[in-house]
Amino acid sequence: MNNTLSKFLDHLSSTEHVNLSKVQVKHTPDAGYGLFATEDFSADIAEPMVTIPSNLIVTASKALQYLKEHNRQQYNELKELPKNNKTIERYCILLFLICEKNAATPSSWRYYIDILPTLDTLKSSQAFFYQDEEMQFLEGTSLHKSIMERRSNVSKLLKQLTALVPSASNVSLDDWQWADMVFWTRVVSIDSQKQSKDKDSSEITPDYAMVPLLDFANHSLAPNLRWELDSEGNFQLLAHSEGGSAGEQLYFSYGDKPNQELLFLHGFCIPDNPNPAKFTMSVIPLMMMDEDTIEPKMRWLQDIGETHTLTLEKNPQGDEHPLMKAGITKHSAALLQLAVLDVDDPIDFILEDDNLVLCFEGKPQASLDDLLESVSRYELCPIQHLRASLLLSQALGDHYEKIAETTEEMKSASHSDNSVIQNILIYALEELALLENALSILQDVQSDLGKDPRVLQYIADSQSAE
Ligand SMILES: C[S@@+](CC[C@H](N)C(=O)[O-])C[C@H]1O[C@@H](n2cnc3c(N)ncnc32)[C@H](O)[C@@H]1O
């Protein structure tokens, strides 16, 4: 056991009187440290395996208390910010972590800070820090896009923090990244109602908590450990389900997260994860096909407050729209209908009170739902559906090809003992299967639409025009 870990555990047992007789922290083969049972445990026994006292749990109010003593300026600025806001809660906790990590004179919290993963450890496991080779293996996937977005947002978020808390302007980007990642990989969300003992009306009602010791427990979809808050705000760690035997690793569930989310937040995947993958991509490159309308379309989306993300889910979304049979959400089906409209279609854009309004067949469209509905009543509707479906097939097909190529490469023997690449492979194959299924459904959809007389006429007209 390393020195900082044994000091931390000593501190818990001798100073804080935490009874550690039923659990221990040990290295695991593939998940860093883990929490293990030292004796048989059963859900029939109501007694907790271990109780973490409330004074050891890091919440926003605890962080504020700490900053009041250790960084009065940050405390004064934070306490003026709106209460019960998750972002502010997170800022409090991050600033606490950074302040104690860098304090010349350690407080008793340093035992905990010292056992948290360092930035170098996080760099070797977190998707955010993937090198070029790993990013190449993610080409075409939704995760590639999410990582790039997170990278470009990091300094923006730090700027947002310093706009609210000017005294945090000396926080380095490295410290900020370290604290943010430590936070997201270890935080649990608690029901703030149960935290009555922790409430102080002048401070923030906490929902986020970092719980020393519990945060050594790794994730499983079949957990044998659960936690409960007692009436004093202490965290009780209890056997879950059937319990288990001495020596077993104790897992709790981080939630029903799909592999994409697990890989993004934690750097690992669960083989055969039943939580279905989602594929996301931006509609913007698809809008770019028509240079004349891209600008007003983007402005209209902005004015009606809509996002640009297309989402493909595993399970069909219904049959309100042919694309939804392939798993495209209603919002995405509408975005695709918008994307295919061009100057030859019955659309106009008019400016009304500084807002750009899209009119379809002369009627203003207040929302994407309205547009979807108007297109479905349009006499050439099957043609519009077919165009949207072909555009989607083209886009998904491009992603499919990129992912198919990289998964073949990852399957090669030279990567078989690289756990990072094996995790990427599990995730990429799921996304590949999702795309393959959608592409095959889209083929059927297109073949059905191709039989519609209006479509046949349209094709004949276009051919004779050529
Ligand atoms: C709350 S911590 C658990 C303790 C951690 N293993 C440690 O060494 O400190 C969460 C992190 O543990 C790792 N982890 C948790 N569950 C895992 C699993 N089932 N497989 C692989 N790594 C896991 C991930 O790096 C994750 O971000």
Side-chain angles (χ1 to χ4, degrees):
M1 192 188 299
N2 83 19
N3 202 17
T4 48
L5 179 59
S6 61
K7 280 190 183 158
F8 165 70
L9 295 173
D10 273 356
H11 170 72
L12 286 189
S13 57
S14 36
T15 317
E16 301 292 345
H17 310 293
V18 179
N19 179 351
L20 294 175
S21 62
K22 293 181 185 166
V23 294
Q24 70 181 137
V25 178
K26 285 198 306 192
H27 251 300
T28 67
D30 51 8
Y33 283 110
L35 195 63
F36 289 78
T38 57
E39 50 186 68
D40 294 353
F41 55 105
S42 156
D44 297 338
I45 303 169
E47 200 189 323
M49 299 171 81
V50 59
T51 299
I52 324 287
S54 66
N55 63 308
L56 295 182
I57 295 158
V58 182
T59 59
S61 20
K62 210 65 70 50
L64 270 180
Q65 261 172 38
Y66 169 92
L67 291 170
K68 192 173 180 180
E69 287 162 34
H70 296 84
N71 190 329
R72 185 53 83 118
Q73 185 66 25
Q74 281 184 6
Y75 166 78
N76 285 337
E77 289 166 5
L78 282 165
K79 81 173 173 23
E80 295 308 321
L81 298 177
K83 311 282 182 277
N84 302 331
N85 169 315
K86 297 272 219 158
T87 306
I88 309 293
E89 262 193 57
R90 188 168 118 244
Y91 287 165
C92 291
I93 295 178
L94 300 196
L95 289 174
F96 152 78
L97 293 172
I98 295 168
C99 183
E100 178 58 30
K101 178 166 98 68
N102 296 327
T105 317
S107 76
S108 60
W109 285 107
R110 188 66 68 88
Y111 295 103
Y112 177 56
I113 304 289
D114 280 348
I115 54 92
L116 296 174
T118 61
L119 188 58
D120 280 344
T121 312
L122 293 166
K123 281 184 178 170
S124 65
S125 62
Q126 286 285 314
F128 181 88
F129 295 112
Y130 282 167
Q131 301 288 308
D132 289 352
E133 187 192 28
E134 288 129 6
M135 289 306 282
Q136 271 162 19
F137 284 137
L138 282 173
E139 271 305 327
T141 66
S142 322
L143 189 60
H144 190 279
K145 177 175 73 82
S146 315
I147 295 173
M148 298 309 280
E149 275 172 10
R150 194 174 182 192
R151 285 181 181 174
S152 77
N153 276 338
V154 161
S155 35
K156 248 187 257 164
L157 289 174
L158 186 54
K159 274 201 195 106
Q160 275 170 20
L161 165 79
T162 48
L164 292 171
V165 187
S167 61
S169 56
N170 60 349
V171 168
S172 71
L173 197 57
D174 270 4
D175 276 349
W176 176 250
Q177 278 182 356
W178 166 77
D180 199 38
M181 279 181 191
V182 161
F183 174 86
W184 285 121
T185 54
R186 304 181 94 83
V187 75
V188 292
S189 172
I190 51 177
D191 176 358
S192 52
Q193 295 310 306
K194 292 188 185 152
Q195 282 279 296
S196 49
K197 289 274 152 74
D198 204 13
K199 263 188 205 163
D200 173 339
S201 58
S202 69
E203 296 187 346
I204 293 165
T205 309
D207 181 37
Y208 286 137
M210 289 178 67
V211 187
L213 205 66
L214 171 66
D215 65 1
F216 275 121
N218 288 314
H219 169 64
S220 166
L221 292 171
N224 52 10
L225 184 74
R226 65 185 179 90
W227 57 265
E228 225 178 69
L229 271 181
D230 70 13
S231 57
E232 306 290 312
N234 307 312
F235 259 73
Q236 298 189 334
L237 274 48
L238 298 139
H240 185 54
S241 192
E242 283 164 18
S245 318
E248 266 182 36
Q249 189 174 169
L250 296 165
Y251 294 97
F252 82 101
S253 168
Y254 298 1
D256 291 337
K257 295 187 166 49
N259 279 333
Q260 182 188 348
E261 206 179 329
L262 288 174
L263 198 52
F264 182 68
L265 279 178
H266 294 287
F268 72 92
C269 281
I270 292 189
D272 304 317
N273 186 337
N275 299 302
K278 272 186 194 172
F279 177 80
T280 56
M281 62 175 282
S282 169
V283 77
I284 299 174
L286 309 188
M287 297 267 195
M288 297 219 178
M289 311 269 234
D290 187 44
E291 281 177 13
D292 294 328
T293 54
I294 168 87
E295 260 184 50
K297 284 176 184 170
M298 295 301 293
R299 166 85 190 269
W300 180 63
L301 285 177
Q302 184 185 325
D303 288 349
I304 60 170
E306 281 295 353
T307 61
H308 309 145
T309 304
L310 295 174
T311 308
L312 174 71
E313 297 181 344
K314 189 170 179 192
N315 300 318
Q317 301 299 299
D319 51 11
E320 277 172 68
H321 188 283
L323 298 188
M324 291 167 76
K325 291 185 190 149
I328 275 288
T329 61
K330 191 173 177 192
H331 171 264
S332 308
L335 281 176
L336 284 157
Q337 287 305 168
L338 175 68
V340 292
L341 291 171
D342 61 31
V343 284
D344 295 330
D345 292 310
I347 52 167
D348 288 300
F349 291 93
I350 52 169
L351 202 57
E352 234 179 57
D353 301 331
D354 249 6
N355 281 334
L356 198 67
V357 179
L358 164 66
C359 296
F360 187 84
E361 292 194 292
K363 289 192 208 84
Q365 307 295 307
S367 66
L368 278 171
D369 276 0
D370 276 5
L371 177 66
L372 203 62
E373 183 66 32
S374 302
V375 171
S376 72
R377 285 197 305 259
Y378 177 45
E379 60 165 328
L380 299 181
C381 157
I383 297 163
Q384 296 297 339
H385 283 171
L386 182 61
R387 288 169 70 199
S389 148
L390 290 169
L391 182 67
L392 179 62
S393 292
Q394 172 75 49
L396 297 185
D398 288 349
H399 284 269
Y400 178 86
E401 273 170 30
K402 280 188 201 147
I403 303 174
E405 196 182 311
T406 55
T407 46
E408 277 316 304
E409 162 70 5
M410 281 186 276
K411 282 182 195 160
S412 80
S414 58
H415 300 298
S416 61
D417 54 1
N418 180 331
S419 67
V420 173
I421 293 185
Q422 290 312 307
N423 276 307
I424 295 178
L425 180 60
I426 295 174
Y427 154 71
L429 284 173
E430 272 178 20
E431 214 155 86
L432 193 67
L434 183 65
L435 293 178
E436 189 171 18
N437 181 47
L439 284 166
S440 134
I441 297 173
L442 285 173
Q443 254 184 8
D444 296 344
V445 164
Q446 285 153 16
S447 138
D448 285 351
L449 286 167
K451 290 176 197 144
D452 188 288
R454 287 164 289 182
V455 172
L456 291 170
Q457 185 62 48
Y458 176 79
I459 294 171
D461 289 351
S462 335
Q463 280 167 352
S464 64
E466 278 167 19

PDB file of all heavy atoms in Angstrom, residues 30-34 117 125-126 185-186 215-219 251 254 265-266 268, ligand 1:
ATOM      1  N   ASP A  30      -7.309  -3.955 -13.135  1.00  0.00           N
ATOM      2  CA  ASP A  30      -7.581  -3.086 -14.289  1.00  0.00           C
ATOM      3  C   ASP A  30      -8.385  -1.835 -13.974  1.00  0.00           C
ATOM      4  O   ASP A  30      -8.825  -1.143 -14.879  1.00  0.00           O
ATOM      5  CB  ASP A  30      -8.329  -3.900 -15.360  1.00  0.00           C
ATOM      6  CG  ASP A  30      -9.532  -4.613 -14.756  1.00  0.00           C
ATOM      7  OD1 ASP A  30      -9.837  -4.331 -13.582  1.00  0.00           O
ATOM      8  OD2 ASP A  30     -10.163  -5.433 -15.446  1.00  0.00           O
ATOM      9  N   ALA A  31      -8.590  -1.521 -12.682  1.00  0.00           N
ATOM     10  CA  ALA A  31      -9.430  -0.349 -12.390  1.00  0.00           C
ATOM     11  C   ALA A  31      -8.812   0.521 -11.290  1.00  0.00           C
ATOM     12  O   ALA A  31      -9.529   1.127 -10.499  1.00  0.00           O
ATOM     13  CB  ALA A  31     -10.833  -0.806 -11.997  1.00  0.00           C
ATOM     14  N   GLY A  32      -7.500   0.588 -11.223  1.00  0.00           N
ATOM     15  CA  GLY A  32      -6.855   1.384 -10.177  1.00  0.00           C
ATOM     16  C   GLY A  32      -7.126   0.773  -8.818  1.00  0.00           C
ATOM     17  O   GLY A  32      -7.169  -0.467  -8.673  1.00  0.00           O
ATOM     18  N   TYR A  33      -7.366   1.628  -7.822  1.00  0.00           N
ATOM     19  CA  TYR A  33      -7.736   1.096  -6.505  1.00  0.00           C
ATOM     20  C   TYR A  33      -9.186   0.662  -6.497  1.00  0.00           C
ATOM     21  O   TYR A  33      -9.990   1.128  -7.307  1.00  0.00           O
ATOM     22  CB  TYR A  33      -7.542   2.171  -5.426  1.00  0.00           C
ATOM     23  CG  TYR A  33      -6.106   2.375  -5.046  1.00  0.00           C
ATOM     24  CD1 TYR A  33      -5.436   3.551  -5.403  1.00  0.00           C
ATOM     25  CD2 TYR A  33      -5.409   1.406  -4.329  1.00  0.00           C
ATOM     26  CE1 TYR A  33      -4.104   3.745  -5.057  1.00  0.00           C
ATOM     27  CE2 TYR A  33      -4.082   1.589  -3.979  1.00  0.00           C
ATOM     28  CZ  TYR A  33      -3.436   2.760  -4.347  1.00  0.00           C
ATOM     29  OH  TYR A  33      -2.133   2.938  -4.006  1.00  0.00           O
ATOM     30  N   GLY A  34      -9.506  -0.214  -5.563  1.00  0.00           N
ATOM     31  CA  GLY A  34     -10.898  -0.608  -5.374  1.00  0.00           C
ATOM     32  C   GLY A  34     -11.134  -0.854  -3.889  1.00  0.00           C
ATOM     33  O   GLY A  34     -10.188  -0.937  -3.090  1.00  0.00           O
ATOM     34  N   PRO A 117      -6.473  10.920  -7.534  1.00  0.00           N
ATOM     35  CA  PRO A 117      -5.547  10.719  -8.660  1.00  0.00           C
ATOM     36  C   PRO A 117      -4.885  12.036  -9.063  1.00  0.00           C
ATOM     37  O   PRO A 117      -5.510  13.089  -9.001  1.00  0.00           O
ATOM     38  CB  PRO A 117      -6.455  10.194  -9.784  1.00  0.00           C
ATOM     39  CG  PRO A 117      -7.849  10.421  -9.343  1.00  0.00           C
ATOM     40  CD  PRO A 117      -7.867  10.595  -7.869  1.00  0.00           C
ATOM     41  N   SER A 125      -5.502   7.770 -18.271  1.00  0.00           N
ATOM     42  CA  SER A 125      -6.743   6.990 -18.381  1.00  0.00           C
ATOM     43  C   SER A 125      -7.909   7.768 -18.996  1.00  0.00           C
ATOM     44  O   SER A 125      -8.821   7.171 -19.558  1.00  0.00           O
ATOM     45  CB  SER A 125      -7.166   6.495 -16.995  1.00  0.00           C
ATOM     46  OG  SER A 125      -7.426   7.604 -16.158  1.00  0.00           O
ATOM     47  N   GLN A 126      -7.895   9.079 -18.889  1.00  0.00           N
ATOM     48  CA  GLN A 126      -9.067   9.851 -19.310  1.00  0.00           C
ATOM     49  C   GLN A 126      -9.129  10.100 -20.812  1.00  0.00           C
ATOM     50  O   GLN A 126      -8.124  10.488 -21.427  1.00  0.00           O
ATOM     51  CB  GLN A 126      -9.039  11.214 -18.598  1.00  0.00           C
ATOM     52  CG  GLN A 126      -9.413  11.129 -17.145  1.00  0.00           C
ATOM     53  CD  GLN A 126     -10.901  10.925 -16.973  1.00  0.00           C
ATOM     54  OE1 GLN A 126     -11.716  11.590 -17.596  1.00  0.00           O
ATOM     55  NE2 GLN A 126     -11.260   9.985 -16.126  1.00  0.00           N
ATOM     56  N   THR A 185     -15.166  12.259 -11.762  1.00  0.00           N
ATOM     57  CA  THR A 185     -14.962  10.812 -11.628  1.00  0.00           C
ATOM     58  C   THR A 185     -15.314  10.310 -10.231  1.00  0.00           C
ATOM     59  O   THR A 185     -15.366   9.098 -10.022  1.00  0.00           O
ATOM     60  CB  THR A 185     -13.499  10.407 -11.946  1.00  0.00           C
ATOM     61  OG1 THR A 185     -12.628  11.178 -11.136  1.00  0.00           O
ATOM     62  CG2 THR A 185     -13.165  10.606 -13.403  1.00  0.00           C
ATOM     63  N   ARG A 186     -15.545  11.220  -9.273  1.00  0.00           N
ATOM     64  CA  ARG A 186     -15.776  10.731  -7.904  1.00  0.00           C
ATOM     65  C   ARG A 186     -17.053  11.254  -7.253  1.00  0.00           C
ATOM     66  O   ARG A 186     -17.412  10.786  -6.169  1.00  0.00           O
ATOM     67  CB  ARG A 186     -14.564  11.102  -7.009  1.00  0.00           C
ATOM     68  CG  ARG A 186     -13.256  10.571  -7.584  1.00  0.00           C
ATOM     69  CD  ARG A 186     -12.068  10.890  -6.745  1.00  0.00           C
ATOM     70  NE  ARG A 186     -11.714   9.846  -5.813  1.00  0.00           N
ATOM     71  CZ  ARG A 186     -10.986   8.768  -6.113  1.00  0.00           C
ATOM     72  NH1 ARG A 186     -10.547   8.593  -7.322  1.00  0.00           N
ATOM     73  NH2 ARG A 186     -10.712   7.874  -5.188  1.00  0.00           N
ATOM     74  N   ASP A 215     -15.541   6.632  -2.462  1.00  0.00           N
ATOM     75  CA  ASP A 215     -15.046   6.924  -3.805  1.00  0.00           C
ATOM     76  C   ASP A 215     -13.858   6.045  -4.210  1.00  0.00           C
ATOM     77  O   ASP A 215     -13.240   6.269  -5.235  1.00  0.00           O
ATOM     78  CB  ASP A 215     -14.758   8.424  -3.998  1.00  0.00           C
ATOM     79  CG  ASP A 215     -13.641   8.959  -3.145  1.00  0.00           C
ATOM     80  OD1 ASP A 215     -13.042   8.175  -2.397  1.00  0.00           O
ATOM     81  OD2 ASP A 215     -13.366  10.164  -3.238  1.00  0.00           O
ATOM     82  N   PHE A 216     -13.570   5.026  -3.420  1.00  0.00           N
ATOM     83  CA  PHE A 216     -12.652   3.982  -3.891  1.00  0.00           C
ATOM     84  C   PHE A 216     -13.424   2.830  -4.525  1.00  0.00           C
ATOM     85  O   PHE A 216     -12.830   1.907  -5.089  1.00  0.00           O
ATOM     86  CB  PHE A 216     -11.794   3.434  -2.746  1.00  0.00           C
ATOM     87  CG  PHE A 216     -10.562   4.259  -2.494  1.00  0.00           C
ATOM     88  CD1 PHE A 216     -10.334   4.855  -1.267  1.00  0.00           C
ATOM     89  CD2 PHE A 216      -9.618   4.441  -3.507  1.00  0.00           C
ATOM     90  CE1 PHE A 216      -9.200   5.619  -1.050  1.00  0.00           C
ATOM     91  CE2 PHE A 216      -8.488   5.206  -3.299  1.00  0.00           C
ATOM     92  CZ  PHE A 216      -8.273   5.802  -2.066  1.00  0.00           C
ATOM     93  N   ALA A 217     -14.751   2.884  -4.410  1.00  0.00           N
ATOM     94  CA  ALA A 217     -15.545   1.772  -4.962  1.00  0.00           C
ATOM     95  C   ALA A 217     -15.709   1.953  -6.467  1.00  0.00           C
ATOM     96  O   ALA A 217     -16.083   3.024  -6.940  1.00  0.00           O
ATOM     97  CB  ALA A 217     -16.906   1.712  -4.279  1.00  0.00           C
ATOM     98  N   ASN A 218     -15.431   0.904  -7.213  1.00  0.00           N
ATOM     99  CA  ASN A 218     -15.570   0.940  -8.661  1.00  0.00           C
ATOM    100  C   ASN A 218     -17.015   0.647  -9.067  1.00  0.00           C
ATOM    101  O   ASN A 218     -17.847   0.271  -8.237  1.00  0.00           O
ATOM    102  CB  ASN A 218     -14.575  -0.049  -9.294  1.00  0.00           C
ATOM    103  CG  ASN A 218     -13.151   0.481  -9.176  1.00  0.00           C
ATOM    104  OD1 ASN A 218     -12.885   1.647  -9.451  1.00  0.00           O
ATOM    105  ND2 ASN A 218     -12.230  -0.377  -8.731  1.00  0.00           N
ATOM    106  N   HIS A 219     -17.269   0.841 -10.370  1.00  0.00           N
ATOM    107  CA  HIS A 219     -18.636   0.754 -10.894  1.00  0.00           C
ATOM    108  C   HIS A 219     -18.986  -0.647 -11.403  1.00  0.00           C
ATOM    109  O   HIS A 219     -18.170  -1.294 -12.042  1.00  0.00           O
ATOM    110  CB  HIS A 219     -18.760   1.747 -12.053  1.00  0.00           C
ATOM    111  CG  HIS A 219     -20.004   1.626 -12.877  1.00  0.00           C
ATOM    112  ND1 HIS A 219     -21.260   1.852 -12.367  1.00  0.00           N
ATOM    113  CD2 HIS A 219     -20.194   1.312 -14.190  1.00  0.00           C
ATOM    114  CE1 HIS A 219     -22.164   1.687 -13.318  1.00  0.00           C
ATOM    115  NE2 HIS A 219     -21.532   1.355 -14.439  1.00  0.00           N
ATOM    116  N   TYR A 251     -18.557  -3.106  -5.280  1.00  0.00           N
ATOM    117  CA  TYR A 251     -18.893  -2.206  -6.383  1.00  0.00           C
ATOM    118  C   TYR A 251     -20.200  -1.496  -6.067  1.00  0.00           C
ATOM    119  O   TYR A 251     -21.124  -2.107  -5.544  1.00  0.00           O
ATOM    120  CB  TYR A 251     -19.143  -2.985  -7.664  1.00  0.00           C
ATOM    121  CG  TYR A 251     -17.953  -3.706  -8.238  1.00  0.00           C
ATOM    122  CD1 TYR A 251     -17.759  -5.064  -7.976  1.00  0.00           C
ATOM    123  CD2 TYR A 251     -17.056  -3.053  -9.067  1.00  0.00           C
ATOM    124  CE1 TYR A 251     -16.684  -5.743  -8.537  1.00  0.00           C
ATOM    125  CE2 TYR A 251     -15.976  -3.729  -9.622  1.00  0.00           C
ATOM    126  CZ  TYR A 251     -15.796  -5.067  -9.353  1.00  0.00           C
ATOM    127  OH  TYR A 251     -14.743  -5.730  -9.909  1.00  0.00           O
ATOM    128  N   TYR A 254     -22.722   3.475 -10.673  1.00  0.00           N
ATOM    129  CA  TYR A 254     -22.632   4.910 -10.980  1.00  0.00           C
ATOM    130  C   TYR A 254     -23.857   5.362 -11.779  1.00  0.00           C
ATOM    131  O   TYR A 254     -23.910   6.485 -12.237  1.00  0.00           O
ATOM    132  CB  TYR A 254     -21.382   5.216 -11.811  1.00  0.00           C
ATOM    133  CG  TYR A 254     -20.031   4.924 -11.175  1.00  0.00           C
ATOM    134  CD1 TYR A 254     -19.907   4.388  -9.898  1.00  0.00           C
ATOM    135  CD2 TYR A 254     -18.861   5.202 -11.859  1.00  0.00           C
ATOM    136  CE1 TYR A 254     -18.663   4.126  -9.340  1.00  0.00           C
ATOM    137  CE2 TYR A 254     -17.610   4.946 -11.315  1.00  0.00           C
ATOM    138  CZ  TYR A 254     -17.522   4.395 -10.055  1.00  0.00           C
ATOM    139  OH  TYR A 254     -16.285   4.133  -9.518  1.00  0.00           O
ATOM    140  N   LEU A 265     -16.432   9.873 -19.400  1.00  0.00           N
ATOM    141  CA  LEU A 265     -16.217  10.373 -18.031  1.00  0.00           C
ATOM    142  C   LEU A 265     -15.150   9.606 -17.272  1.00  0.00           C
ATOM    143  O   LEU A 265     -14.457  10.167 -16.428  1.00  0.00           O
ATOM    144  CB  LEU A 265     -17.508  10.246 -17.213  1.00  0.00           C
ATOM    145  CG  LEU A 265     -18.571  11.308 -17.364  1.00  0.00           C
ATOM    146  CD1 LEU A 265     -19.763  10.953 -16.493  1.00  0.00           C
ATOM    147  CD2 LEU A 265     -18.032  12.680 -16.947  1.00  0.00           C
ATOM    148  N   HIS A 266     -15.053   8.289 -17.546  1.00  0.00           N
ATOM    149  CA  HIS A 266     -14.227   7.450 -16.673  1.00  0.00           C
ATOM    150  C   HIS A 266     -13.139   6.665 -17.387  1.00  0.00           C
ATOM    151  O   HIS A 266     -12.321   6.015 -16.733  1.00  0.00           O
ATOM    152  CB  HIS A 266     -15.122   6.437 -15.945  1.00  0.00           C
ATOM    153  CG  HIS A 266     -16.084   7.070 -14.984  1.00  0.00           C
ATOM    154  ND1 HIS A 266     -15.684   7.593 -13.788  1.00  0.00           N
ATOM    155  CD2 HIS A 266     -17.412   7.265 -15.060  1.00  0.00           C
ATOM    156  CE1 HIS A 266     -16.739   8.078 -13.153  1.00  0.00           C
ATOM    157  NE2 HIS A 266     -17.797   7.896 -13.908  1.00  0.00           N
ATOM    158  N   PHE A 268     -13.441   3.868 -19.197  1.00  0.00           N
ATOM    159  CA  PHE A 268     -13.610   2.410 -19.354  1.00  0.00           C
ATOM    160  C   PHE A 268     -14.986   2.100 -19.940  1.00  0.00           C
ATOM    161  O   PHE A 268     -15.871   2.964 -19.954  1.00  0.00           O
ATOM    162  CB  PHE A 268     -13.421   1.676 -18.017  1.00  0.00           C
ATOM    163  CG  PHE A 268     -14.550   1.873 -17.034  1.00  0.00           C
ATOM    164  CD1 PHE A 268     -15.626   0.998 -16.983  1.00  0.00           C
ATOM    165  CD2 PHE A 268     -14.545   2.934 -16.135  1.00  0.00           C
ATOM    166  CE1 PHE A 268     -16.672   1.180 -16.092  1.00  0.00           C
ATOM    167  CE2 PHE A 268     -15.586   3.124 -15.233  1.00  0.00           C
ATOM    168  CZ  PHE A 268     -16.644   2.243 -15.211  1.00  0.00           C
TER     169      PHE A 268
HETATM  170  C1  LIG B   1     -14.862   6.690  -7.916  1.00  0.00           C
HETATM  171  S1  LIG B   1     -13.348   6.253  -8.623  1.00  0.00           S
HETATM  172  C2  LIG B   1     -13.103   4.615  -8.076  1.00  0.00           C
HETATM  173  C3  LIG B   1     -11.724   4.438  -7.469  1.00  0.00           C
HETATM  174  C4  LIG B   1     -10.599   4.422  -8.459  1.00  0.00           C
HETATM  175  N1  LIG B   1     -10.479   3.104  -9.073  1.00  0.00           N
HETATM  176  C5  LIG B   1      -9.272   4.844  -7.839  1.00  0.00           C
HETATM  177  O1  LIG B   1      -8.246   4.219  -8.131  1.00  0.00           O
HETATM  178  O2  LIG B   1      -9.245   5.821  -7.094  1.00  0.00           O
HETATM  179  C6  LIG B   1     -13.856   6.119 -10.273  1.00  0.00           C
HETATM  180  C7  LIG B   1     -12.767   5.744 -11.254  1.00  0.00           C
HETATM  181  O3  LIG B   1     -12.386   4.388 -11.089  1.00  0.00           O
HETATM  182  C8  LIG B   1     -12.205   3.740 -12.348  1.00  0.00           C
HETATM  183  N2  LIG B   1     -13.256   2.707 -12.473  1.00  0.00           N
HETATM  184  C9  LIG B   1     -14.405   2.619 -11.782  1.00  0.00           C
HETATM  185  N3  LIG B   1     -15.100   1.528 -12.112  1.00  0.00           N
HETATM  186  C10 LIG B   1     -14.373   0.885 -13.046  1.00  0.00           C
HETATM  187  C11 LIG B   1     -14.578  -0.300 -13.803  1.00  0.00           C
HETATM  188  N4  LIG B   1     -15.660  -1.060 -13.652  1.00  0.00           N
HETATM  189  N5  LIG B   1     -13.611  -0.649 -14.690  1.00  0.00           N
HETATM  190  C12 LIG B   1     -12.515   0.109 -14.865  1.00  0.00           C
HETATM  191  N6  LIG B   1     -12.271   1.258 -14.184  1.00  0.00           N
HETATM  192  C13 LIG B   1     -13.186   1.639 -13.282  1.00  0.00           C
HETATM  193  C14 LIG B   1     -12.372   4.832 -13.390  1.00  0.00           C
HETATM  194  O4  LIG B   1     -11.103   5.383 -13.653  1.00  0.00           O
HETATM  195  C15 LIG B   1     -13.236   5.842 -12.682  1.00  0.00           C
HETATM  196  O5  LIG B   1     -13.110   7.162 -13.190  1.00  0.00           O
END
